[in-house]
Amino acid sequence: MKFSIGKKLVALAGSIAMLGAFAACGSSESGPKDVSADANAKVTISVWAWEPTLKNVVTKFEKKYPNIKVKLNNVGTNLDAYTALNNAVDAGKGAPDVAQIEYYALPQYAINGTLKDLSSMGAAKYKGFYTPGTWASVHWQNKLYGLPMDSGPMALFYNKAVFDKAGVTKVPTTWEEYYQAAKKIRAVGSYITSDSGDAGFFDSMVWSAGGHPYKTSTDGKTVSISLTKNAGTKEFVKWWQKMIDEGLINTKVKGWTDDWNRGLGDGSIASLMTGAWMPATLVGSAPQATGKWRVAQMPTKDGNTANAENGGSTLSVLSSSDKATAAYKFIEYANHDAEGIKTRVDGGAFPADNNTLKSDSFLSVKTVKNSAGKDIEYFGGQEYNRELAKAASRVLTGYENLPFEVYARKIFADSAGGAYTDKSITLSKGIANWQAKLIEYGKQQGFTMGE
């Protein structure tokens, strides 16, 4: 079953986000002739990525490999990037040699044959170099479609000043403790956190709860969605519904807005359960709270050590590239070479490799660089990377994203948003609505859908 991208474009709310393009059966790995196979050949590769630390990586890479020039192009983030990539692949021209793809979106591009299986280039030998969570995230149906660039193991970021004011002297380690802390924090005028309906957060919390609501068959033809029946999903929905019902979460403020930034800065939003990339964001978005925030492990249902990824991305080689050798050298340098990794970590990226996560130079860091390059003790002198590295080691493997996850997250708010913003439906009902829409969409794409 192979579908034309052009015949499966999906228009959403009048936007240009075209999210079709699936092939439920594998494609040929032969690809075009590799003009960069000759080490003496002078070539230019195209890299589409939004990660700012890659600019310095390119400079150093070109010094090491003078015959390879890199044209780095930021075509946007998230939906904008995937729309551009879909359009280029559909047109049969203009696609890059290398693309940055978030872990959750990788299955969509693996299943339709857009990405090259890097096992054929020797990348499989790096198992053990990366954290289990990120290594699992670059695999799809036992094939390897990229090298991990960064990661986002979840952690609890909390405003200690607000917690202290509310009498929360023990950092919550269970969902029940977090609930009790939320009531105390609400009593002093703040919210313990905010959530207006974030699909990525929802998926990560289900993941950390041990949920497995999605499953794709090994032949890529059958997709099962069991959001309404999966135990981990139901446990999180039940807990989060209680938090919403009792008004303990700010459901009106949307993430990544000016109001959200102000809330983080003035203490009206007192914690976030999010990815390890958050330190640089806090420094830039809420500088007035410098010294007040701390980092801890995620609270879990029973206080166990289970964790999940929330964010992170890979660099992948496109199967259409006629410079695959050069393209692979670039992602190997950026994501595996010690110099390339250090360049990105020094720029604020959170590492995906075990060596960096175990190094004292990384673990002992107490400051975060702001946009001006100044070192700020944002976390009150805490060696916060020690907590984040521990969080990375706790990520559960085996979680699957949908082969149309980009679309799924796009319609989450339309399906379940009422449970957050106006309580017009329950979260359970909203998730059921979401599941129904996803099953219908999967059928339209040619998948056999099940629960």
Side-chain angles (χ1 to χ4, degrees), residues 194-198 249-255 412-413 416-421:
S194 66
D195 182 16
S196 61
D198 184 328
I249 304 169
N250 188 327
T251 59
K252 303 299 182 184
V253 172
K254 293 184 177 181
F412 182 81
Y420 299 85
T421 56

Side-chain angles (χ1 to χ4, degrees), residues 70-186:
V70 180
K71 183 179 180 181
L72 183 62
N73 188 13
N74 182 351
V75 297
T77 61
N78 199 271
L79 288 177
D80 291 338
Y82 302 137
T83 297
L85 185 58
N86 289 347
N87 290 341
V89 173
D90 186 37
K93 61 180 180 179
D97 300 290
V98 174
Q100 178 179 354
I101 298 175
E102 291 161 286
Y103 295 133
Y104 81 85
L106 184 137
Q108 175 171 318
Y109 293 99
I111 203 168
N112 70 10
T114 297
L115 308 180
K116 186 175 182 63
D117 178 5
L118 299 185
S119 299
S120 63
M121 307 191 81
K125 65 186 177 184
Y126 294 142
K127 180 181 180 181
F129 181 82
Y130 300 100
T131 61
T134 58
W135 186 246
S137 294
V138 295
H139 283 77
W140 179 253
Q141 310 297 40
N142 298 316
K143 292 186 178 181
L144 177 59
Y145 290 104
L147 291 181
M149 181 165 67
D150 50 21
S151 64
M154 295 191 82
L156 176 65
F157 294 81
Y158 68 100
N159 188 318
K160 186 177 184 299
V162 176
F163 273 48
D164 288 348
K165 179 182 177 181
V168 182
T169 57
K170 178 181 180 295
V171 180
T173 59
T174 67
W175 287 357
E176 176 62 22
E177 289 175 357
Y178 192 78
Y179 164 70
Q180 296 297 336
K183 291 194 290 186
K184 292 180 180 180
I185 288 170
R186 191 72 196 100

Side-chain angles (χ1 to χ4, degrees), residues 408-420:
R409 296 192 180 190
K410 177 66 178 179
I411 68 167
F412 182 81
D414 292 336
S415 305
Y420 299 85

Side-chain angles (χ1 to χ4, degrees), residues 250-289:
N250 188 327
T251 59
K252 303 299 182 184
V253 172
K254 293 184 177 181
W256 312 103
T257 62
D258 290 340
D259 286 343
W260 185 71
N261 291 336
R262 279 191 290 271
L264 298 176
D266 64 22
S268 58
I269 299 174
S271 76
L272 294 171
M273 293 182 284
T274 191
W277 37 263
M278 195 65 198
T281 301
L282 281 170
V283 168
S285 301
Q288 64 271 46

Side-chain angles (χ1 to χ4, degrees), residues 182-264:
K183 291 194 290 186
K184 292 180 180 180
I185 288 170
R186 191 72 196 100
V188 298
S190 294
Y191 289 94
I192 196 167
T193 195
S194 66
D195 182 16
S196 61
D198 184 328
F201 172 74
F202 179 87
D203 280 351
S204 292
M205 291 302 292
V206 168
W207 180 347
S208 68
H212 293 278
Y214 313 124
K215 180 69 177 179
T216 302
S217 61
T218 54
D219 62 7
K221 296 179 180 181
T222 302
V223 177
S224 299
I225 301 177
S226 59
L227 287 160
T228 58
K229 297 179 180 179
N230 177 258
T233 307
K234 290 169 69 175
E235 289 285 358
F236 172 65
V237 168
K238 180 181 177 181
W239 174 55
W240 211 235
Q241 184 69 66
K242 180 170 69 171
M243 298 283 284
I244 293 172
D245 286 345
E246 297 186 26
L248 301 178
I249 304 169
N250 188 327
T251 59
K252 303 299 182 184
V253 172
K254 293 184 177 181
W256 312 103
T257 62
D258 290 340
D259 286 343
W260 185 71
N261 291 336
R262 279 191 290 271
L264 298 176

